[in-house]
Amino acid sequence: AAINLADGWLASRELIMVADAAVRLMATVPVAGTSASAARRRAALEAELATWSERGARAASARQELERRLDASRAEHDSLATAPDAFILRRRQVAGEIEAAEARRRGAADALAQAERRLAEADREAKRALEELSGAREVRAGAAARVEGLEERLAAATRALADNFEADPAGLQALAGLKPGEELPEPGPTEAKLASLRAERERLGGVNLRAEEELAEAEGKQAELAAERDELTEAIRRLRGAVGSLNREGRERLAVAFETVSRHFTRLFTDLFGGGTAELTLVESDDPLEAGLEIIAHPPGKRPQTLSLLSGGEQALTAIALIFAVFLTNPSPICVLDEVDAPLDDANVERYCDLLRSMAAETETRFLVITHNPITMARMDRLFGVTMAERGVSQLVSVDLEGAEALREAV
């Protein structure tokens, strides 16, 4: 810092010397009042002189600032020259303080270890004291329980004496015929005699003063139970008769419905297959309510066989015939068919559509058909479709095919 300040001071001094030289130069330049170039030269020199004068003033100010900073740097240098000794003294002082603190820490650690040992011993003593206290409490509780048991036994014995002998413990000796101070008899023979007397009393039995009332109550209850038994027997008889009547009526209705469904099934099977025969039979039981149903199909050109042995399309047509046969037995105003024609080929789809036409005319049922087959769509009266004109926006489209055909014929 001192070197930089010195360099700056030298630079400002050179600037001042240059300014002085410029002033002397202007004093020696001849002035020609009639020459324009000399005038311009003089004006330029005056401007340059002013510039150098200003720079000289700034250089002087900078010189004073540099001298001040140089004095401050020298003072700081002098103070820092003595800092290492102060740092060494402070370091030694801090090292001494650290050693003293370490000694205090070791003393505190030893005191803490001794305190922890004393605390552990106190904990062991407290644990032993608690164990002894717990044992004393258990002994006390056991003694209190025994005392309570003895008191209960004494109270029970006193009540037994009062109930059996109508006497208290003080009057029991007089009741037994013993004189004061006389030796008590042997307990064995006395207890045996007491047991014999009790058994004899038990054989005699107690006197029931409410026997007649209890007998009357039992007879009344017996009569009520007998009446309830008769009512239950009659109810069971009526219930069995009703069940039998329902079973007969169910068998009759099932037989009639089975014949109707079988007749419709045979006709529809022949229409769908363009020939052949089929029948429904009840199997596994003579009772229609418990029998199973088996389908025997005879497509054109094939021998009769069960439904499981037919091909996929034949099974689909047979199932359609059976479903429509049941539907014809009890038609409904609306029937929804979902993808029924999916497993069918084009020829069978035509037969399926012809069957729908005939059933619609026969039963006046409106069929709602869900399909992707163009042949089925072409045979419908009205089409409803869902289209997506814009991405993510669905729109329902309806086409009246009958109206379109009528319009085409009119045109």
Side-chain angles (χ1 to χ4, degrees):
I3 293 172
N4 292 333
L5 289 174
D7 292 340
W9 181 79
L10 292 175
S12 62
R13 187 174 180 180
E14 290 177 357
L15 289 174
I16 293 171
M17 292 174 65
V18 170
D20 293 338
V23 172
R24 287 193 300 269
L25 178 61
M26 289 180 61
T28 58
V29 172
V31 179
T34 59
S35 177
S37 61
R40 288 194 298 272
R41 177 63 177 167
R42 180 180 180 84
L45 290 176
E46 288 178 355
E48 185 177 359
L49 178 61
T51 301
W52 281 106
S53 297
E54 183 180 356
R55 292 180 65 181
R58 289 199 303 269
S61 177
R63 175 183 177 185
Q64 294 176 0
E65 178 64 21
L66 290 174
E67 288 178 353
R68 185 185 61 78
R69 291 175 61 186
L70 179 60
D71 294 338
S73 298
R74 287 173 179 173
E76 184 179 0
H77 180 270
D78 294 337
S79 63
L80 291 176
T82 59
D85 297 334
F87 289 158
I88 293 172
L89 293 176
R90 181 57 182 166
R91 178 181 178 184
R92 291 176 181 176
Q93 182 180 358
V94 171
E97 293 177 356
I98 292 174
E99 291 179 358
E102 183 66 23
R104 289 194 300 272
R105 186 193 65 78
R106 288 193 297 270
D110 296 338
L112 177 61
Q114 293 178 1
E116 289 178 349
R117 286 194 298 272
R118 289 196 298 271
L119 178 60
E121 293 176 357
D123 290 340
R124 288 193 294 271
E125 292 294 334
K127 185 176 180 181
R128 284 196 298 270
L130 290 175
E131 291 176 353
E132 292 177 358
L133 178 60
S134 177
R137 287 178 178 174
E138 291 179 357
V139 172
R140 179 183 176 184
R146 288 194 297 272
V147 170
E148 185 178 357
L150 292 174
E151 290 177 352
E152 291 179 356
R153 290 179 60 185
L154 179 59
T158 303
R159 289 193 299 270
L161 289 175
D163 295 339
N164 296 330
F165 302 103
E166 297 181 356
D168 55 1
L172 185 61
Q173 187 174 8
L175 183 63
L178 297 176
K179 297 179 181 181
E182 186 178 357
E183 186 177 357
L184 296 176
E186 293 294 332
T190 304
E191 291 179 357
K193 184 178 180 180
L194 179 60
S196 176
L197 293 175
R198 286 179 177 174
E200 185 177 355
R201 187 188 66 179
E202 292 295 334
R203 284 194 300 270
L204 292 176
V207 178
N208 188 3
L209 301 178
R210 297 185 68 256
E212 294 182 358
E213 297 178 1
E214 292 178 357
L215 177 60
E217 293 177 358
E219 289 177 351
K221 189 174 183 179
Q222 182 183 7
E224 292 177 0
L225 292 175
E228 291 179 359
R229 181 196 61 190
D230 296 338
E231 292 178 359
L232 289 176
T233 302
E234 180 64 20
I236 291 172
R237 186 186 64 78
R238 290 197 302 268
L239 183 60
R240 287 177 177 172
V243 171
S245 177
L246 290 175
N247 287 337
R248 287 192 300 273
E249 184 177 358
R251 291 186 184 94
E252 293 174 359
R253 291 188 178 184
L254 181 59
V256 173
F258 177 76
E259 291 297 331
T260 304
V261 171
S262 179
R263 185 172 62 256
H264 289 313
F265 174 67
T266 302
R267 178 175 62 84
L268 295 177
F269 182 88
T270 303
D271 293 342
L272 286 174
F273 280 87
T277 59
E279 61 177 349
L280 301 176
T281 58
L282 298 176
V283 295
E284 298 179 359
S285 178
D286 296 333
D287 188 357
L289 297 177
E290 298 180 358
L293 182 65
E294 186 174 6
I295 301 174
I296 304 299
H298 184 193
K302 293 187 178 181
R303 56 186 179 85
Q305 51 191 344
T306 59
L307 181 63
S308 60
L309 299 178
L310 298 176
S311 64
E314 292 173 342
Q315 289 182 2
L317 286 178
T318 305
I320 293 172
L322 179 59
I323 292 173
F324 285 164
V326 176
F327 180 78
L328 287 175
T329 305
N330 186 16
S332 62
I334 297 177
C335 180
V336 180
L337 302 175
D338 187 4
E339 299 281 349
V340 176
D341 55 355
L344 304 180
D345 55 12
D346 293 344
N348 289 328
V349 171
E350 291 284 353
R351 294 173 183 173
Y352 164 69
C353 294
D354 293 338
L355 179 60
L356 285 181
R357 282 287 183 184
S358 63
M359 289 184 61
E362 181 181 352
T363 62
E364 297 183 356
T365 300
R366 288 185 176 274
F367 289 93
L368 302 180
V369 181
I370 301 173
T371 181
H372 293 283
N373 194 301
I375 298 177
T376 306
M377 295 181 189
R379 297 290 297 276
M380 296 295 105
D381 297 333
R382 181 181 291 272
L383 295 179
F384 296 92
V386 179
T387 180
M388 188 179 291
E390 299 179 7
R391 184 176 182 86
V393 180
S394 299
Q395 184 179 2
L396 184 64
V397 179
S398 175
V399 178
D400 187 356
L401 296 183
E402 289 184 347
E405 291 178 357
L407 181 61
R408 184 184 63 181
E409 292 176 358
V411 173

